[in-house]
Amino acid sequence: MTNSNNCDVVVCGAGGFIGGWLVAQLRREGAKKIRGVDLKPLDEWYQRFDDVENLSLDLQERPACEQAVRGATDVYNLAADMGGMGFIENNKALCMLTVLINTHLLMASRAAGVEKYFYASSACVYAADKQTDPNVTALKEEDAYPAMAEDGYGWEKLFSERMCRHFTEDFGLRTNVARYHNVYGPHGTFEGGREKAPAAICRKVIDAKLNGTNEIEIWGDGHQTRSFMYIDDCIKGTRMMLDRDIRGPLNLGSSEMVSINQLVDIVEDIAGVKLHRRYNLKAPKGVNGRNSDNTLIRKVMGWEPSISLRDGLEKTYAWIYDQMVEKTQARLPQLSAVA
Ligand code: NAD
């Protein structure tokens, strides 16, 4: 689609995992003019649609943000330099530089007269001292304060949440902020260092199965707990927040808490294998326990994420399996040519 000056909705980070699914949903709902923006070259986007205006721009730059939101009524900010624990523990400065995206997007949105602005925050804003026990008490929205967020990534999210709040209070720009808890599903990162636990575990189990190694490396002792939200619930909750003007910050996550060992059990069961577990206690593992308290979302939306981990993982596993088999097959002619 060619560039235009008007659009109904802009998805920033549209080349990424959640952004790609959000664009797909907006198309299904019949949004006429959608603009997707991402730093990545267009051929690297996880999902890309020809009837959408797709722009490759660096949203850390103010002029790029102005171009991105030109003529728009709704803006979703899902753009961030981020990944799983392996990435965020080792790239704190890069994570913090994402503050430029939200800052410039808010400024550009205000100047362009944008009506609704959605910001994707994270459960990483929660204070570390409330997440020391695997049998963690689920986190309520107020547990972000007194603040001691995840170093780097979490502090940037907390700061950006507050910037949204003050743009609303001081400038009247409507902002809606969700705190996503671990989102997973097809069309997301499963290799390369930015992948999160569900995709990483699926990849490792598939790898062990395809190569017959019979072994899996697990980061930490496997007792650390989390909850994981399937992508369909994430998109549904995100759209509801914007449509119903639920300001937040609001937990958007599953409350089905599992340990990493239990996550591996489920994936092994789906794969039909039982692997020897090698625990890497030196690898990044994040906080000991984290779960989403959904009291507030139930109250304000009458809804909460409900897709079971087992159901979501079956779909995710199947997609990652296909990707890995496809890649192996694509390499075969080259390998036989070398031989
Ligand atoms: P993702 O990495 O798949 O998508 C983010 C996209 O932002 C990427 O495609 C990336 O290229 C793009 N981006 C990075 N820097 C950019 C820049 N300077 N200009 C333009 N685009 C840029 O991640 P995701 O899982 O889809 O996450 C989307 C949002 O949700 C992020 O803000 C993330 O922090 C937040 N979030 C995600 C999760 C999760 O579990 N996936 C959990 C909590 C919060």
Side-chain angles (χ1 to χ4, degrees), residues 230-300:
Y230 189 61
I231 184 68
D232 290 2
D233 274 336
C234 173
I235 297 300
K236 185 170 179 183
T238 300
R239 290 288 300 111
M240 275 167 97
M241 275 193 82
L242 200 83
D243 276 356
R244 299 190 190 174
D245 190 13
I246 292 160
R247 299 288 164 111
L250 182 70
N251 277 338
L252 189 47
S254 164
S255 58
E256 180 188 349
M257 188 172 81
V258 291
S259 68
I260 297 300
N261 279 327
Q262 288 170 320
L263 177 68
V264 178
D265 289 342
I266 299 174
V267 178
E268 282 179 338
D269 193 47
I270 292 167
V273 294
K274 201 75 199 149
L275 304 171
H276 171 70
R277 298 181 185 185
R278 191 162 40 81
Y279 294 97
N280 181 351
L281 302 180
K282 292 197 177 127
K285 73 172 184 76
V287 293
N288 288 331
R290 176 177 291 161
N291 193 11
S292 178
D293 182 304
N294 287 350
T295 310
L296 186 59
I297 191 171
R298 278 197 301 271
K299 185 171 162 217
V300 295

Side-chain angles (χ1 to χ4, degrees), residues 78-98:
L78 302 165
D81 200 355
M82 61 86 71
M85 285 318 300
F87 180 80
I88 64 178
E89 281 200 5
N90 294 309
N91 295 279
K92 297 190 179 95
L94 286 183
C95 289
M96 294 216 80
L97 283 171
T98 294

Side-chain angles (χ1 to χ4, degrees), residues 16-18 38-39 57-59 78 80 121 153 157 183 196:
F17 165 48
I18 302 173
D38 203 285
L39 179 66
L57 295 171
D58 182 354
L59 292 170
L78 302 165
S121 183
Y153 177 73
K157 288 290 185 194
V183 191
K196 298 186 153 211

